[in-house]
Amino acid sequence: MVRRVLAGVFWFVAVAAWYGFASFAFGIPGALGPVIALGVAAFVAIDPRHWIWETRRIHQQ
């Protein structure tokens, strides 16, 4: 769980920084950056389809 939260934080920072650069370079609205970054970070941390994080399986004997 700690890895998911930490990955979410890193993705938030990375996407927000990229969007900040893109808004400066291309003139797109900068207010959407944190919103998009939060959405990406939440998707990575939650991973509803289990594409990123493998679910733990309890092995029964």
Side-chain angles (χ1 to χ4, degrees), residues 8-47:
V9 170
F10 286 152
W11 271 95
F12 177 82
V13 171
V15 171
W18 179 86
Y19 196 89
F21 169 74
S23 69
F24 175 75
F26 302 117
I28 55 179
L32 292 175
V35 175
I36 292 172
L38 185 62
V40 170
F43 182 78
V44 168
I46 294 170
D47 187 27

